[in-house]
Amino acid sequence: MVHENLIGAWKLLSHQFVATGTGESRDMFGIDPQGSLLISANMRMVVLITKSERQTTDDESALFNSVLAYAGQLRIEGKDRFITSIDVSWRPDWVGTEQTRQFSLDGDILTIMTQEMLHPIFSNQKARGILKFARA
């Protein structure tokens, strides 16, 4: 079953956003982001991603702008889509929402794609996040 292959610990390899119209891509958290994705047997998901070059600073906004974290209950729809019901998030507006992602598994590499969204780094053009994880 597909969901059994998702269970476990995953280490982030890359986190990019790709502009839909142009194909231009940008690394969201630098070229060597740090991150983990954990999916439990009861389909609970926790993800934490940070920029690799984070440093302690008096400017707390810089720290907040260099992290992504959320958790919730995961459900699989079809062979290549999951939905997370978010119950805790670094973005308060995500709490109580559902986040839909497409995914593919190639051996021990998990690729997750976000839905298209207007993204500020591409002058509010539509873009999609692409995250790659290796089984830890």
Side-chain angles (χ1 to χ4, degrees), residues 80 100-104 111-115 128-131:
D80 66 350
T100 301
R101 305 289 185 254
Q102 289 181 296
F103 71 91
S104 64
T111 301
I112 298 174
M113 292 180 293
T114 69
Q115 294 179 309
R128 173 184 308 267
I130 301 175
L131 297 91

Side-chain angles (χ1 to χ4, degrees), residues 2-135:
V2 160
H3 81 274
E4 291 173 350
N5 294 329
L6 293 175
I7 294 169
W10 299 88
K11 181 184 181 325
L12 184 68
L13 299 174
S14 65
H15 180 197
Q16 296 185 322
F17 262 84
V18 179
T20 304
T22 65
E24 176 187 359
S25 67
R26 296 206 188 151
D27 293 309
M28 284 305 300
F29 289 98
I31 59 171
D32 187 28
Q34 306 300 302
S36 293
L37 167 65
L38 302 172
I39 300 175
S40 68
N42 66 350
M43 300 307 286
R44 178 123 180 104
M45 181 183 116
V46 177
V47 65
L48 172 64
I49 298 173
T50 66
K51 285 185 177 181
S52 58
E53 64 272 3
R54 287 176 53 135
Q55 296 179 9
T56 301
T57 175
D58 290 336
D59 180 10
E60 290 185 0
S61 67
L63 292 175
F64 285 111
N65 289 328
S66 62
V67 68
L68 174 151
Y70 64 92
Q73 195 63 40
L74 189 74
R75 73 178 185 273
I76 305 295
E77 288 196 352
K79 293 180 181 181
D80 66 350
R81 192 165 83 147
F82 65 78
I83 299 170
T84 308
S85 298
I86 307 295
D87 54 35
V88 63
S89 176
W90 96 114
R91 286 185 58 155
D93 59 335
W94 278 23
V95 175
T97 69
E98 292 189 329
Q99 296 293 316
T100 301
R101 305 289 185 254
Q102 289 181 296
F103 71 91
S104 64
L105 273 169
D106 184 10
D108 285 336
I109 302 297
L110 172 63
T111 301
I112 298 174
M113 292 180 293
T114 69
Q115 294 179 309
E116 283 185 340
M117 63 187 81
L118 295 178
H119 204 286
I121 66 168
F122 294 111
S123 302
N124 287 317
Q125 296 177 57
K126 286 189 177 182
R128 173 184 308 267
I130 301 175
L131 297 91
K132 289 192 182 281
F133 292 88
R135 191 172 297 280

